[in-house]
Amino acid sequence: MNGTQNGTTENGDGPTWLPADSSFATKAIHSGYKPKDHTFAPVVPAISLSTTFEQDAPSQHRGFDYTRSGNPTRQILEATLASLDNAKYGSVFSSGLAATTNVIAMLNSGDHVICMDDVYGGTGRLFRQMAKTANIVTDFVDLTDVEKFKKALNEKTRLVWIETPTNPTLKVVDIATIASLTHAFSQNIMVAVDNTFLTSFFQRPLEFGADIVVYSLTKFVNGHSDVLMGAVVTSREDIHERLAFLQKSIGAVPSPFDCYLVLRSLRTLHVRMPLHMKNAFSVAKFLSSHPRVSKVLHPGLPSHPQHQLALKQSSGHSGLIGFYIKPGSGCPTKFLQNLKVFSLAESLGGYESLAELPFSMTHASVPAELRAQLGITETLVRLSIGLESMEDLVKDLDQALNAC
Ligand SMILES: *Cc1c(COP(=O)(O)O)cnc(C)c1O
């Protein structure tokens, strides 16, 4: 598959990204499940609601004993997710932050974490809270600055947490560089990448040396804004075994029904992502030339500081865009209230377009000083571009901007 098929060079003027995985679509539709392995061979997997499973003799069961430790529907989803990252193992959790919590639970008191400074608000809050309650100290570092990163590594470091592109300023972190520096420093440090923004369709961090990939499936992977779920994928057996133990012990697992919904969404991930990308790139180009806009953040634009790196490590960008509105006459509040196709709402990655103000909404919990340093100002708007008609999205943004 090349750039044309993933929607990047539609007009012949889009950037050239890393080639996409040519077998992705087939894996999204077929991997993790063979109908004939199941009674009655249903082509669509069954939802196994039972919490318990009859045993043939004490402790002799047919693969499942209690649904917290393992569930047939969940297992199909976990196997499918792993295959899309070309990974060996997948584990799902009741939310993206539950997935992160389980990764943090692999650490011990006294361990040190290095976390990208610009991360999902809830991830930052979780690492800050952990510092207090579990004596796990987190340093928030700009991982686009390799020298700063090297200085932050120490004997107690056990986890490096990357998010790329970042939320909400869409900085791009060099996964291969951070992973190789980390592992050269110590083999005992896990490199985790939160891949929520791009999904395995556009970026597969394990191929760049990461140990684990974390997802909020709530966003693009489920894509229909109706399920809260998270996942961790890895090819390391030691990590998988520990996570399976924690998944069972902590018990933050999703319901079989939700697993079914996410599985159903996975079947069209490769159809949805190129359209998110195409719509978002068109909107980014439109905003770049709008007189009420001072700056647009999108890794596919040559003006983006890590544009070349983005092209090198991902095969496209999703529906996320940031932009700064020129101050004046009640904006950006007026702009946000005047939108008609876009909803003013938190979250991202659904088929519907959303707009929000990170400063007072998703990133209100980021300390004020850090927020200012990161560029999360009162004029920064975040858009999640959905799958509506691109012309209608552009028209809507135009009329709302002109109302400012
Ligand atoms: C939403 C989000 C999370 C948290 O996921 P939940 O499913 O809401 O718990 C983590 N990382 C990123 C990048 C997100 O966008």
Side-chain angles (χ1 to χ4, degrees):
M1 205 190 271
N2 57 30
T4 309
Q5 261 170 300
N6 68 25
T8 55
T9 54
E10 189 68 14
N11 309 313
D13 59 354
T16 308
W17 300 79
L18 194 69
D21 177 351
S22 59
S23 60
F24 192 95
T26 309
K27 285 187 286 193
I29 290 173
H30 293 294
S31 67
Y33 182 71
K34 284 197 186 74
K36 284 186 181 154
D37 289 349
H38 300 261
T39 312
F40 308 124
V43 169
V44 175
I47 306 174
S48 294
L49 292 172
S50 188
T51 52
T52 187
F53 300 82
E54 195 169 69
Q55 311 204 356
D56 296 317
S59 290
Q60 232 184 71
H61 56 74
R62 303 180 183 194
F64 301 95
D65 54 5
Y66 184 61
T67 203
R68 177 162 24 80
S69 340
N71 170 278
T73 314
R74 192 170 97 209
Q75 190 182 59
I76 298 164
L77 173 62
E78 291 177 331
T80 311
L81 285 168
S83 80
L84 295 181
D85 263 290
N86 295 325
K88 286 193 186 145
Y89 313 103
S91 322
V92 290
F93 300 91
S94 52
S95 69
L97 285 185
T100 307
T101 301
N102 277 262
V103 172
I104 294 173
M106 295 175 76
L107 305 176
N108 293 308
S109 171
D111 285 354
H112 172 243
V113 176
I114 299 174
C115 181
M116 177 65 186
D117 59 359
D118 185 27
V119 282
Y120 177 69
T123 304
R125 185 174 53 207
L126 192 51
F127 279 113
R128 277 183 202 99
Q129 282 299 114
M130 282 295 152
K132 277 193 220 127
T133 59
N135 191 29
I136 291 166
V137 178
T138 303
D139 278 327
F140 292 88
V141 178
D142 178 4
L143 298 180
T144 64
D145 186 332
V146 171
E147 291 312 311
K148 271 193 199 153
F149 171 63
K150 282 197 214 157
K151 279 196 201 113
L153 281 165
N154 72 48
E155 296 302 315
K156 291 187 170 169
T157 309
R158 288 292 172 270
L159 175 67
V160 174
W161 189 275
I162 298 172
E163 187 176 305
T164 181
T166 64
N167 185 356
T169 63
L170 299 172
K171 282 190 231 160
V172 179
V173 178
D174 189 334
I175 301 169
T177 299
I178 297 293
S180 70
L181 283 171
T182 303
H183 293 139
F185 184 83
S186 163
Q187 290 293 333
N188 283 329
I189 308 175
M190 286 186 297
V191 175
V193 178
D194 182 335
N195 202 30
T196 300
F197 271 22
L198 294 189
T199 81
S200 50
F201 182 75
F202 284 135
Q203 179 168 272
R204 287 177 299 283
L206 299 183
E207 292 168 11
F208 293 91
D211 299 293
I212 61 181
V213 187
V214 180
Y215 291 98
S216 169
L217 303 175
T218 313
K219 313 298 167 55
F220 288 102
V221 174
N222 183 56
H224 294 68
S225 304
D226 53 6
V227 176
L228 188 73
M229 202 186 292
V232 179
V233 303
T234 183
S235 285
R236 274 182 52 182
E237 195 181 351
D238 58 333
I239 292 179
H240 174 65
E241 277 178 6
R242 183 76 187 141
L243 273 177
F245 170 80
L246 292 168
Q247 188 188 37
K248 173 173 74 179
S249 305
I250 295 174
V253 293
S255 77
F257 186 74
D258 281 352
C259 290
Y260 171 77
L261 284 177
V262 175
L263 196 56
R264 175 163 134 157
S265 294
L266 273 185
R267 308 307 193 205
T268 57
L269 183 59
H270 58 286
V271 182
R272 291 182 281 113
M273 293 310 280
L275 190 51
H276 280 293
M277 171 164 175
K278 189 171 161 238
N279 278 355
F281 194 56
S282 301
V283 167
K285 283 194 293 187
F286 162 75
L287 290 173
S288 301
S289 61
H290 200 284
R292 295 291 301 135
V293 173
S294 60
K295 189 178 172 189
V296 180
L297 310 174
H298 184 294
L301 294 174
S303 59
H304 188 281
Q306 291 106 27
H307 176 59
Q308 291 307 324
L309 172 61
L311 299 182
K312 215 174 65 179
Q313 79 181 8
S314 43
S315 47
H317 182 68
S318 62
L320 262 294
I321 299 178
F323 75 96
Y324 292 90
I325 288 195
K326 285 185 187 158
S329 57
C331 267
T333 298
K334 218 164 160 189
F335 161 78
L336 291 164
Q337 288 178 325
N338 271 293
L339 289 166
K340 292 181 174 66
V341 180
F342 284 77
S343 293
L344 169 56
E346 299 197 0
S347 198
L348 55 108
Y351 53 75
E352 75 295 350
S353 291
L354 303 177
E356 67 115 2
L357 201 67
F359 182 84
S360 61
M361 293 172 67
T362 50
H363 289 68
S365 71
V366 177
E369 201 181 312
L370 180 59
R371 226 168 27 194
Q373 187 191 319
L374 295 173
I376 306 173
T377 67
E378 280 162 279
T379 59
L380 173 65
V381 174
R382 188 185 77 182
L383 302 177
S384 174
I385 304 297
L387 307 177
E388 300 95 334
S389 309
M390 189 258 289
E391 292 75 11
D392 290 337
L393 296 177
V394 167
K395 256 191 246 161
D396 193 34
L397 292 167
D398 194 37
Q399 62 81 21
L401 279 168
N402 294 334
C404 283

